[in-house]
Amino acid sequence: MTYKTKPLYEEDTKLKVDSIYSYFVILFNDSIHEFSYVEDCLMKLCFKTKREAKKIAMEAHANGKAICFQGSMEECETVAEHMTEANLTVSFGI
C-alpha cells in the first residue's frame, strides 16, 4: 500500500503560525473623537504606521468597526485596556 504525503510548503506553515494569534481588538466608530486623536492612539497603542492608522480609522468610520490589532490573548487584552483608557470603544476576542 502506497501513501502519498502532501509536501509541506511555506504557506502551510504560515497558516499554522497565524492561527496561534487568532485574537483581535476591534475598534468601534464613535462621534466623540476626532480622526487625528484616533489615528494617534492607533499609532501609539496598536503600533501602527500613520498610513495604517488612517486606513483603520476610515474603515471604522465607514463600516462602524475595524480590526485594529491582532495578537495573543494577553497582547490583545493589554491593547484593549489601553484603548479603553484612551476613551475609545473597543472589544477583543477570537
Side-chain angles (χ1 to χ4, degrees), residues 57-69:
M58 288 298 295
E59 183 179 343
H61 178 71
N63 300 328
K65 61 184 176 180
I67 295 173
C68 63
F69 187 81

Side-chain angles (χ1 to χ4, degrees), residues 61-81:
H61 178 71
N63 300 328
K65 61 184 176 180
I67 295 173
C68 63
F69 187 81
Q70 179 180 0
S72 68
M73 183 177 76
E74 293 82 9
E75 291 171 323
C76 288
E77 187 174 25
T78 301
V79 168
E81 285 177 16

Side-chain angles (χ1 to χ4, degrees), residues 23-26 72-74 76-78 80 90-94:
Y23 288 85
F24 298 93
V25 178
I26 300 170
S72 68
M73 183 177 76
E74 293 82 9
C76 288
E77 187 174 25
T78 301
V90 296
S91 69
F92 84 96
I94 299 175

Side-chain angles (χ1 to χ4, degrees), residues 26-65:
I26 300 170
L27 171 67
F28 292 92
N29 186 40
D30 65 34
S31 58
I32 300 168
H33 300 96
E34 293 185 14
F35 265 71
S36 60
Y37 177 74
V38 175
E39 289 173 5
D40 288 343
C41 289
L42 289 167
M43 289 186 295
K44 291 176 187 172
L45 305 175
C46 297
F47 317 106
K48 302 298 180 187
T49 64
K50 179 79 170 168
R51 183 180 202 149
E52 292 169 329
K54 182 175 227 122
K55 182 178 178 182
I56 292 167
M58 288 298 295
E59 183 179 343
H61 178 71
N63 300 328
K65 61 184 176 180

